[in-house]
Amino acid sequence: MRHFFVISLISLVFTTNIFSQTATIHGVVKDANTGELLEDVNIVQPPANGTHSDLKGNYELRVNAGDITLIFSYIGLTADTFNFSIKPGDTKELNVSLQGSGQEIGTIVVSESRVGQKLTTVTQTVDVLSPRLIQANNITNMQGAITKVPGVTVLDGQISIRGGSGYAYGAGSRVTLVVDGMPLMTADRQDIKWPLVPIENVEQLEILKGAASVQYGASALNGVMNITTAYAADTPTTKFSFYYEGFGKPPVDSFKWWKRDGKFFTNPNRIGMNFLHSQKFGDFE
């Protein structure tokens, strides 16, 4: 019993001595441009001590007292280095805003293998459309965005790539629509319903041309249209758009397939709106 007490006392003294030589650094990491809290920022004290920020940008790191070098790095932003001194037992708050503009890391696609890879390494033909193109062309339906891709046509609402068989009655579509990794095709006809595509929240549109993505099944023999939606950020975002589409009076009366008198508001037209609000509430998006 006496030996056990002596060993416990020595261990306590040794542990207290170790912790008395260390210090704690904590804080929050943000994007200097947007103010968004950054998750999974790498915080490293060379050569081998480090941690990373949590969902709300918070981090905490125990370091040996003395002269400290901390390196904060995050994909797409410029890394930042901090040098300072800290005394044993102290707790220092270090809030960081990563400076510098975003760095171009190349377009990432997932259509071919369902695993993100650089567009330059993909072995098949893949066209990528960004939300900027959709907004610049005032596109109100994803069907209109598809027609901007070379080699892609739409007939009776169904896609045909490079003149291939886009849709066959009884067999369904030969081009699969995938939204966030899940096929979005009707259960009865296996065709695409364009109003179901959330065009107001599209982050990237990929068109894989040809039968090169067999993991999607027989409905992808002519290609795959993969849509990735945007995640909610720490800063709330609200988007609202109002549109009107209509046919004017053609120069030849026989062109008026709608068989009306040619007045502006009696011609075929469509009016509508898109609305989106995205926000994070803790861990819920």
Side-chain angles (χ1 to χ4, degrees):
M1 186 67 181
R2 182 180 301 174
H3 292 288
F4 176 76
F5 176 76
V6 173
I7 293 175
S8 300
L9 181 61
I10 294 175
S11 300
L12 179 62
V13 173
F14 182 72
T15 303
T16 303
N17 184 60
I18 290 178
F19 278 96
S20 65
Q21 301 301 317
T22 62
T24 302
I25 303 172
H26 68 94
V28 178
V29 187
K30 296 182 179 181
D31 187 324
N33 299 321
T34 64
E36 181 179 354
L37 301 175
L38 298 178
E39 178 188 358
D40 285 332
V41 176
N42 289 319
I43 302 103
V44 178
Q45 180 195 17
N49 186 28
T51 185
H52 59 84
S53 59
D54 61 15
L55 290 171
K56 297 184 179 180
N58 298 308
Y59 75 93
E60 182 174 314
L61 180 64
R62 185 175 294 276
V63 299
N64 293 324
D67 295 330
I68 302 299
T69 297
L70 287 184
I71 301 174
F72 292 76
S73 61
Y74 187 77
I75 296 177
L77 295 177
T78 304
D80 212 345
T81 302
F82 296 85
N83 298 296
F84 53 90
S85 297
I86 190 170
K87 297 180 181 179
D90 283 358
T91 298
K92 178 180 178 61
E93 182 177 0
L94 178 62
N95 298 322
V96 177
S97 296
L98 293 182
Q99 303 291 332
S101 58
Q103 299 173 347
E104 180 65 38
I105 61 176
T107 302
I108 304 298
V109 297
V110 298
S111 296
E112 183 179 14
S113 60
R114 294 192 181 181
V115 178
Q117 59 185 125
K118 291 185 178 180
L119 180 60
T120 54
T121 64
V122 176
T123 59
Q124 305 300 326
T125 302
V126 179
D127 287 309
V128 179
L129 296 182
S130 65
R132 184 177 302 176
L133 183 143
I134 297 175
Q135 296 172 4
N137 288 272
N138 195 29
I139 296 173
T140 60
N141 190 292
M142 190 56 67
Q143 179 177 338
I146 295 300
T147 58
K148 301 294 183 181
V149 180
V152 178
T153 57
V154 179
L155 181 62
D156 290 336
Q158 301 304 313
I159 304 175
S160 176
I161 298 178
R162 292 173 175 171
S165 176
Y167 182 83
Y169 287 96
S173 177
R174 290 293 184 263
V175 179
T176 295
L177 170 63
V178 179
V179 179
D180 292 332
M182 295 295 295
L184 185 61
M185 312 290 288
T186 60
D188 51 354
R189 297 181 55 192
Q190 283 296 301
D191 61 343
I192 298 174
K193 298 299 183 185
W194 298 105
L196 299 179
V197 180
I199 190 172
E200 68 280 355
N201 195 35
V202 172
E203 183 176 47
Q204 182 167 289
L205 168 63
E206 307 164 17
I207 302 293
L208 176 61
K209 299 177 179 179
S213 197
V214 294
Q215 70 267 24
Y216 292 104
S219 59
L221 292 177
N222 194 218
V224 176
M225 182 176 70
N226 183 51
I227 296 175
T228 304
T229 58
Y231 287 99
D234 292 312
T235 303
T237 301
T238 302
K239 299 179 182 179
F240 176 82
S241 63
F242 180 83
Y243 61 87
Y244 172 84
E245 300 176 3
F247 289 86
K249 182 179 179 180
V252 180
D253 288 340
S254 61
F255 289 171
K256 295 190 296 183
W257 51 267
W258 53 89
K259 296 181 179 180
R260 295 186 179 181
D261 57 4
K263 293 182 180 179
F264 183 73
F265 287 103
T266 59
N267 296 351
N269 60 82
R270 184 175 65 163
I271 190 170
M273 58 169 283
N274 289 324
F275 174 78
L276 170 70
H277 179 77
S278 62
Q279 185 175 353
K280 291 182 68 176
F281 299 90
D283 297 337
F284 176 75
E285 300 177 354

